[in-house]
Amino acid sequence: MSVFKEKIGKIKIFRSLKIRIFLIIMIVGMIPGILIHFGIMERYMDNAISVRSNEVQTQVRIIADHLLTYNYLHDSSNDVVNAELAQLSNLYDGRVLIIDSNLKIIKDTYGISEGKTIISEPIIRCFKGTGASNHVTENSYIEIIVPIEEKLSGDAAKNTNSASGVSPRIVGVMLTSVSMESIISSYEYLESRAFIIEILSVVILFGIAYFLSQHLLKPFEKITEAINEVKNGFTDEEIHITEYLETEHIGDAFNQMMGRMKVLDDSRQEFVSNVSHELKTPLASMKVLADSLLAQEEVPNELYREFMTDIAAEIDRENKIITDLLALVKMTRTSADMNVEPMDINAILELMLKRLGPIAARANVKLVFESRRKVSAEIDEVKMTLAFSNLVENAIKYNVDGGWVKVVLDADHQYFTVEVSDSGIGIPQEAIEHIYERFYRVDKSHSREIGGTGLGLAITRNVILMHRGSINVKSEEGKGTTFIVKIPLSYIAS
Ligand code: ADP
């Protein structure tokens, strides 16, 4: 069945829904016609033959009685019986043979076989007592064979041991052949009428199938047209084709997709304008610093050094923004190529904290690592290290003098969790939902002062999502912040 479906699917024309609807209507519409044709026409012939046979048999039985009455089997010159036989053969355009118990033909209404002996299986069977029978010959005649039975009674019956006491004795057989011509001609007439009706119904069916296959698919054509209009940029109106529930659903899905694309487009535009702005800010500072140096004739050496130090800092900042941007672009969930391997998470976190130790020391912040168990998980080491570094760096950056940062590693049978908590300035409640946005900073000037680009948490979140993990934050202003990261131990490829 599936091979058949596959083959049909490969033929281009059958992939058209219109053609399929057309064919289904044609086939379903033609089934009753075919059934009626075979059911009625074929049965008509059998029925007509059996009606004709019964009719003739009844007449033949009456004549068979007369044959006995007039002792015809011994003297075939009886005018009454001969007239009846002639009438019977005329009426049915047939021939009657009367055969005696010696299989001798004593009467032939055609008059050509009288006196001859007939040896035929059905006749012999009839003599043996199988009763009347009929069959159709090769040359389209119905042959009806009826026994001529003499009723015995009294002593004769007793001799035959009959249970009823009255038992027939077959003394001869009547073989009547009747022509089927009239049956065949009315069959042919019926067949020709049926043929005309069938042709007419196929034509009407063709029309209906054609009309329906065109009409039923109109809404789908409309929806394709509407989508093309949007695709070609002629309109960005929503699509509403409400003729069918299905077209409505397609329209809704398309509108939702368009909505999502619009959101993506808006966010891309916003991102590009943010990027331009962020990249221009250090450049503008450098320009101001350089211009003011150029505007002065004799620049004192200390001032010159001070300005150049500021310019170098701005260059570093520009560099950091570009590095973060590149990292972020690489971390887009779809395009990133992951280099996943089973890794010792304890070792990774220890190494990372060791690297960040000097920064923490400079900020006078204490770094604490607490590992509750040994954890091995399938991760991309470089990306994950970057994600955790961003969290710990933030915890150091947004901390207070003499504060602390604590990293806790734990795991269950499915996930490992890393909690990064600090005793820092905290995040205002209303800012929490924005902190993962690109370039978002709670306090722009403070963040800039301590070297933030607003991209760190966006990068971290992307890395975590790429590992099918989750990130949550709890924070209280003035008290501190805790980030909780949960990552599956086994990497789930998309
Ligand atoms: P940035 O480069 O400015 O640090 P991030 O994306 O890493 O950018 O963080 C976004 C903002 O979230 C920061 O500017 C800061 O205001 C806030 N933030 C992040 N981590 C912390 C933290 N541990 N404590 C307080 N504020 C934080």
Side-chain angles (χ1 to χ4, degrees):
M1 195 64 189
S2 64
V3 177
F4 175 74
K5 258 189 182 172
E6 236 173 65
K7 278 189 182 162
I8 289 275
K10 275 186 191 152
I11 305 171
K12 202 174 172 195
I13 192 162
F14 288 120
R15 285 174 47 212
S16 155
L17 188 55
K18 250 186 211 175
I19 300 285
R20 285 192 186 191
I21 290 180
F22 178 81
L23 289 177
I24 289 168
I25 296 174
M26 284 300 283
I27 292 168
V28 172
M30 271 156 70
I31 287 172
I34 294 168
L35 290 181
I36 288 171
H37 182 98
F38 286 102
I40 293 183
M41 294 306 290
E42 296 307 306
R43 286 198 61 79
Y44 172 82
M45 201 66 167
D46 294 345
N47 200 39
I49 290 171
S50 107
V51 167
R52 177 63 54 89
S53 304
N54 287 343
E55 219 173 273
V56 174
Q57 246 185 56
T58 314
Q59 305 246 9
V60 169
R61 278 188 200 285
I62 295 167
I63 297 175
D65 277 350
H66 291 173
L67 292 180
L68 291 172
T69 314
Y70 293 106
N71 199 17
Y72 193 84
L73 291 173
H74 297 112
D75 175 13
S76 61
S77 62
N78 186 288
D79 288 342
V80 179
V81 176
N82 281 338
E84 279 179 352
L85 290 172
Q87 197 190 15
L88 181 70
S89 57
N90 282 342
L91 191 65
Y92 294 109
D93 187 17
R95 179 184 185 181
V96 185
L97 298 180
I98 296 173
I99 299 140
D100 71 7
S101 53
N102 299 321
L103 301 179
K104 208 174 110 196
I105 299 170
I106 58 164
K107 176 71 186 173
D108 174 2
T109 50
Y110 280 10
I112 42 180
S113 302
E114 275 167 16
K116 289 183 185 165
T117 303
I118 184 164
I119 296 173
S120 124
E121 211 197 308
I123 290 174
I124 293 169
R125 259 194 276 125
C126 187
F127 269 114
K128 282 187 177 159
T130 52
S133 68
N134 58 273
H135 61 271
V136 177
T137 65
E138 274 172 17
N139 50 0
S140 303
Y141 271 84
I142 311 170
E143 274 190 359
I144 298 136
I145 298 167
V146 174
I148 307 166
E149 291 166 327
E150 200 174 48
K151 308 268 182 316
L152 299 176
S153 55
D155 295 339
K158 273 179 206 150
N159 291 339
T160 60
N161 291 333
S162 162
S164 65
V166 178
S167 174
R169 188 166 68 96
I170 300 162
V171 290
V173 163
M174 277 181 82
L175 169 63
T176 315
S177 312
V178 289
S179 166
M180 279 176 51
E181 207 174 291
S182 62
I183 296 176
I184 290 173
S185 68
S186 41
Y187 176 80
E188 281 172 355
Y189 173 76
L190 258 182
E191 204 177 33
S192 67
R193 299 292 298 197
F195 184 69
I196 293 170
I197 292 171
E198 277 160 19
I199 294 285
L200 264 177
S201 53
V202 167
V203 171
I204 293 169
L205 202 59
F206 187 92
I208 294 173
Y210 182 77
F211 173 77
L212 285 181
S213 62
Q214 297 290 320
H215 185 76
L216 289 177
L217 291 183
K218 273 262 160 62
F220 289 97
E221 279 166 14
K222 272 198 216 163
I223 211 156
T224 312
E225 263 170 42
I227 290 175
N228 278 336
E229 293 266 297
V230 177
K231 187 187 82 189
N232 295 333
F234 299 139
T235 173
D236 53 5
E237 268 176 36
E238 292 206 332
I239 293 176
H240 292 291
I241 309 286
T242 48
E243 269 100 325
Y244 298 140
L245 268 181
E246 286 80 359
T247 52
E248 207 174 319
H249 290 162
I250 295 175
D252 288 350
F254 183 78
N255 294 337
Q256 277 171 20
M257 190 190 78
M258 286 304 290
R260 203 173 128 64
M261 279 172 66
K262 208 167 141 22
V263 169
L264 281 178
D265 197 46
D266 288 352
S267 98
R268 203 193 58 207
Q269 278 184 14
E270 191 195 317
F271 180 60
V272 170
S273 82
N274 284 346
V275 168
S276 322
H277 175 77
E278 295 296 326
L279 290 177
K280 271 171 100 177
T281 318
L283 281 178
S285 307
M286 283 187 263
K287 174 95 173 114
V288 171
L289 290 165
D291 279 351
S292 56
L293 275 183
L294 286 172
Q296 297 174 43
E297 285 289 310
E298 291 288 321
V299 186
N301 210 14
E302 305 83 66
L303 192 70
Y304 179 79
R305 282 195 70 79
E306 192 194 323
F307 275 39
M308 282 315 275
T309 313
D310 288 349
I311 289 177
E314 289 302 328
I315 291 172
D316 283 345
R317 187 171 159 68
E318 183 92 38
N319 208 6
K320 173 134 180 54
I321 295 173
I322 292 171
T323 313
D324 279 1
L325 267 176
L326 286 177
L328 185 65
V329 170
K330 273 200 215 147
M331 301 300 168
T332 47
R333 263 181 295 161
T334 43
S335 68
D337 48 330
M338 296 281 281
N339 184 15
V340 175
E341 271 174 67
M343 298 301 305
D344 177 349
I345 306 297
N346 301 64
I348 289 177
L349 290 178
E350 271 162 27
L351 186 71
M352 178 197 76
L353 292 173
K354 203 171 152 201
R355 252 190 333 102
L356 294 174
I359 302 174
R362 220 180 303 141
N364 193 23
V365 170
K366 205 171 124 204
L367 268 186
V368 184
F369 178 46
E370 185 186 322
S371 166
R372 298 209 174 136
R373 64 195 73 230
K374 284 244 147 253
V375 180
S376 169
E378 294 171 359
I379 54 155
D380 182 320
E381 186 197 355
V382 178
K383 293 189 179 75
M384 198 52 89
T385 306
L386 181 63
F388 289 134
S389 298
N390 282 341
L391 292 180
V392 179
E393 267 179 68
N394 280 350
I396 299 169
K397 277 194 302 188
Y398 303 103
N399 218 315
V400 288
D401 192 31
W404 52 262
V405 173
K406 192 172 168 193
V407 179
V408 180
L409 170 66
D410 199 356
D412 58 20
H413 62 289
Q414 252 187 318
Y415 298 93
F416 72 90
T417 45
V418 175
E419 272 186 33
V420 180
S421 35
D422 63 55
S423 59
I425 57 171
I427 306 168
Q429 213 52 39
E430 66 281 3
I432 282 188
E433 58 178 310
H434 300 292
I435 54 173
Y436 303 108
E437 289 169 13
R438 293 166 301 198
F439 297 116
Y440 180 82
R441 277 155 291 177
V442 175
D443 178 349
K444 278 201 187 265
S445 58
H446 179 60
S447 179
R448 195 173 141 70
E449 222 171 81
I450 55 177
T453 60
L455 295 172
L457 285 181
I459 294 171
T460 300
R461 185 169 174 269
N462 275 359
V463 170
I464 289 163
L465 293 182
M466 279 159 73
H467 285 81
R468 301 272 180 276
S470 63
I471 179 165
N472 286 298
V473 62
K474 284 185 262 175
S475 186
E476 209 175 313
E477 259 185 293
K479 280 207 166 164
T481 307
T482 304
F483 281 94
I484 304 144
V485 176
K486 201 170 169 187
I487 308 276
L489 294 172
S490 312
Y491 178 68
I492 309 157
S494 54

